[in-house]
Each structure stands twice: as C-alpha cells, then as structure tokens.
C-alpha cells in the first residue's frame, strides 16, 4: 500500500492552497521535513508562506489546535514566533483531500552561530521571553516528557525491528537496560513541568544579526525549561560549554529564572533524544522519504556506531558534567 504522503504531489499542494482562496505563483518548494510535509510558496501578491501538512494519525485535532493557540498566545505577547494564517472564519487548522494542514507566514533568515556570545545571549533572551508566557498555564492535550517511559517504548521499537543482527541485539539490550536503570520513572518534580517548544535546535531558529525567531512548534510538550536550552550547548570542553551556558542563562534570566538543579537533567534529556532518534527512523521506515534520506539505517555500521554512542552516553549519564 502506498503511503499517504506519496499523494502530496505539487498539483495537490497547489489545490489545497487554492481551496483556501489563494492564487499560487510557480510550484511549491519542498523543504527538509520528514515527520510532516512542509512547502514554501508564493501567492499572486508575491507574499511567501509555509504550508505544513500534518502526518496522518499522529496528533489529534485538539493537540494541533493547542499548538496553534500556544503560538498565537506567544505572538500576542510579542514573542518572536512565526505566526499562523487564518481564514475568514478565523480558523488555523484546515482540511483538504484527507489531509490536515496549517499555513504560516514565512520567516526569513539564517540559523544563529553558537560560537557567537551575542547570538547566545539573544537566544537565551528569546527563550526566556517565551517561557515567561509558557508558564502561565499548562497544556491539556499535548504529551508530557517522561524519560523512562519514552525511552522504554523507543528501545522496544528497535528490539522488535529486523535491523539488528544477533550480536547487535545482545549488545543493544545490555546497554539499553543500563540506560533505563539510570532513568527513574519519576525523573523530575511535578512543578518542573511547563509548556516548552520541545525541539529547540538550530533548524528551528531563524534570524539576522542578533534577532531570532522560533519556528515549528510541532513538538511542543510539557517538560522542564532546560529542554529548550540544552541542545544549544555544543562546547566540546568544560570552558567552552560553561561560556555558552553563561551567555544563554544571562539572556534567559532577563525574563524568568531558571532552576539550577535542571542542569543535572541534561544528560537524561540527551539520552532520551539518542534512543528516540533511532526508534523514530525504524517506526517511520514505511514512509518512502525515510529510505531515500536515511539509507545508512540498513547498514551494520550504523547500528554498531549507535551502540557505541549509547555506551558513551551511559558513562556520561553516570557522571554528568552539567552541574550548577
């Protein structure tokens, strides 16, 4: 059976936009996005927009609308986010030919430079401003980031797949169990959870000079605030990451305080991202875009390297450097 996204040819994308009352100039340009399908296009007034077609059956309508409401709340509070387009009825979630979609105003710019102190300060300030708004209320329909639960589900997905040979399966089970034993069921106190962007990496931040905008809130969840900061810490040695952390926190705390105990949770979050990534690839393999984009998943070398990375992460998790 064909995957639903195989039906999203340029003609269908244009038809979806025209159904919303737009006149399209040229052919939509597909952007790098795998979980959903995202296209850049121009209307007859030469305005640029982004359309996101949501992956079928992944999120409920209520969860998508809660994402939209969060973005609109942030925009109303003058936080730099890419705002949604609304139709004449004020709707942000649209339907066409079995697909759900949202349209965003285009945000120009480039990714920040994480070795630039001014950029780091600006990123911290941007995220702090967002979190000051995010703490006002919780999500009702988005997921909660629970490391042990999500890691366990991810590891089981990999074990149930056909990608590992017998040797790799044994090694993966051993290191995975060690990691699970170090991720407690209740990793963080309840009052540490708040609304966060959830996937705050360089690909989701655009800007010029030291003014940046957060885009793509598709993975927004309830999680500790540090979830939106730790992926920006890329220093290879202690002085480098301490310097990065200092700039981020100085900018962040212009708007709200950060509990320093959360620094000790970074390696748990990194562990979760590592095990989730391989499971995500396995679980999405029926989508034809994945074999084309990630052909190395089928190689023994990838899984050997992944197991070595998990072993290195086990060591890091046992003696985290990210301490206050």
């Amino acid at each position: 059976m064909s995957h639903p996204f195989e039906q999203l040819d340029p003609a269908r994308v244009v038809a979806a936009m025209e159904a919303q009352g737009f006149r399209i100039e040229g052919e939509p340009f597909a952007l790098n996005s795998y979980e959903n399908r995202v296209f850049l296009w121009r209307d007859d007034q030469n305005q640029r927009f982004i359309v996101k077609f949501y992956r079928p059956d992944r999120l409920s309508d209520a969860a998508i609308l809660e994402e939209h409401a969060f973005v609109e709340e942030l925009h109303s509070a003058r936080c730099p986010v890419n705002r949604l387009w609304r139709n004449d009825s004020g709707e942000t979630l649209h339907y066409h030919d079995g697909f759900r979609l949202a349209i965003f105003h285009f945000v120009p710019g480039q990714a920040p430079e994480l070795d630039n102190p001014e950029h780091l300060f600006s990123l911290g300030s941007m995220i702090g401003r967002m979190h000051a708004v995010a703490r006002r209320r919780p999500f009702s329909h988005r997921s909660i980031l629970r490391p042990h639960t999500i890691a366990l589900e991810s590891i089981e997905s990999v074990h149930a797949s056909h990608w590992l040979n017998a040797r790799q399966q044994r090694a993966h089970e051993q290191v995975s169990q060690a990691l699970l034993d170090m991720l407690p069921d209740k990793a963080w106190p309840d009052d540490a959870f708040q609304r966060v962007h959830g996937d705050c990496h360089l690909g989701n931040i655009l800007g010029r000079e030291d003014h940046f905008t957060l885009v793509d809130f598709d993975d927004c969840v309830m999680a500790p605030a540090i979830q939106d900061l730790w992926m920006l810490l890329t220093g290879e040695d202690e002085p480098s990451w301490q310097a990065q952390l200092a700039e981020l926190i100085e900018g962040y705390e212009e708007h709200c305080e950060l509990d320093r105990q959360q620094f000790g949770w970074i390696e748990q979050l990194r562990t979760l991202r590592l095990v989730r990534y391989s499971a995500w690839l396995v679980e999405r393999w029926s989508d034809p875009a994945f074999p084309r984009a990630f052909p190395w998943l089928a190689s023994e070398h990838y899984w050997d390297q992944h197991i070595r990375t998990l072993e290195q992460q086990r060591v890091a998790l046992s003696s985290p450097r990210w301490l206050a």
Side-chain angles (χ1 to χ4, degrees):
M1 294 179 63
S2 64
H3 193 275
F5 279 149
E6 288 190 87
Q7 303 171 30
L8 268 181
D9 55 24
R12 183 168 270 107
V13 174
V14 169
M17 298 300 94
E18 290 178 339
Q20 298 301 321
F22 289 98
R23 297 182 62 182
I24 309 303
E25 292 293 325
E27 186 172 297
F29 178 74
L31 301 178
N32 287 332
S33 178
Y34 299 103
E35 188 64 6
N36 304 298
R37 292 296 184 269
V38 181
F39 300 87
L40 169 65
W41 52 278
R42 294 176 184 268
D43 68 5
D44 57 344
Q45 304 298 314
N46 207 34
Q47 296 182 93
R48 288 184 290 180
F49 294 89
I50 299 290
V51 59
K52 174 166 69 176
F53 290 84
Y54 287 91
R55 179 172 290 272
D57 302 324
R58 174 173 170 252
L59 295 169
S60 67
D61 283 7
I64 293 173
L65 288 170
E66 196 163 46
E67 169 205 342
H68 294 183
F70 186 35
V71 172
E72 291 297 283
E73 182 183 356
L74 292 170
H75 180 257
S76 296
R78 300 182 180 274
C79 296
V81 295
N82 62 327
R83 58 193 180 92
L84 287 136
W85 174 85
R86 292 178 177 271
N87 63 17
D88 291 340
S89 300
E91 297 163 328
T92 57
L93 180 60
H94 317 290
Y95 305 85
H96 181 80
D97 232 0
F99 288 100
R100 296 173 298 171
L101 58 127
I103 301 169
F104 298 83
H105 294 269
F106 175 73
V107 174
Q110 299 175 329
E113 301 167 5
L114 296 182
D115 58 352
N116 184 324
E118 292 183 0
H119 285 194
L120 286 166
F121 180 89
S122 295
L123 293 175
S125 179
M126 174 189 68
I127 295 169
R129 183 184 300 178
M130 175 185 68
H131 283 184
V133 175
R135 292 176 181 180
R136 295 174 182 172
R137 61 183 63 87
F139 283 134
S140 299
H141 302 284
R142 307 294 298 195
S143 62
I144 300 173
L145 198 66
R146 302 289 190 190
H148 186 92
T149 301
I150 298 172
L152 178 60
E153 293 171 350
S154 300
I155 289 165
E156 288 176 344
S157 289
V158 171
H159 289 173
S161 72
H162 64 280
W163 295 103
L164 297 143
N165 61 35
R167 171 185 59 81
Q168 292 169 333
Q169 184 85 1
R170 289 191 299 272
H172 192 272
E173 287 175 354
Q174 184 176 15
V175 69
S176 297
Q177 187 58 55
L179 291 172
L180 285 172
D181 291 343
M182 300 168 76
L183 293 175
D185 290 329
K186 187 175 175 61
W188 312 308
D190 290 342
D191 61 4
F193 289 88
Q194 63 170 73
R195 294 182 294 178
V196 299
H197 179 279
D199 196 25
C200 205
H201 59 75
L202 288 183
N204 287 331
I205 304 171
L206 296 171
R208 292 196 177 99
E209 298 179 353
D210 59 353
H211 299 284
F212 298 102
T213 299
L214 267 173
V215 303
D216 193 4
F217 281 71
D218 191 66
D219 290 309
C220 60
V221 292
M222 293 292 293
I226 197 68
Q227 169 65 10
D228 281 347
L229 293 167
W230 76 266
M231 280 181 271
L232 303 176
L233 300 169
T234 58
E236 294 293 329
D237 52 60
E238 183 169 347
S240 297
W241 63 255
Q242 286 282 11
Q244 287 183 314
L245 182 61
E247 292 293 343
L248 278 173
I249 298 306
E250 185 177 355
Y252 185 91
E253 293 195 329
E254 285 194 328
H255 305 281
C256 55
E257 292 186 8
L258 180 67
D259 182 355
R260 296 302 197 268
Q261 74 169 329
Q262 294 194 15
F263 298 163
W265 304 343
I266 290 176
E267 293 306 333
Q268 295 178 5
L269 291 165
R270 192 191 311 279
T271 301
L272 180 59
R273 192 169 181 85
L274 286 171
V275 299
R276 183 66 208 134
Y277 180 69
S278 59
W280 176 68
L281 294 174
V282 167
E283 293 165 3
R284 296 289 185 259
W285 201 248
S286 62
D287 181 337
F290 280 71
R292 290 195 298 267
F294 311 103
W296 35 259
L297 186 70
S299 71
E300 285 192 8
H301 173 75
Y302 167 75
W303 291 104
D304 283 338
Q305 181 59 48
H306 179 61
I307 292 167
R308 285 193 293 270
T309 300
L310 293 183
E311 180 58 34
Q312 293 166 357
Q313 186 57 25
R314 182 193 64 77
V315 174
L317 195 57
S318 63
S319 54
R321 65 180 181 177
W322 308 93
L323 299 175

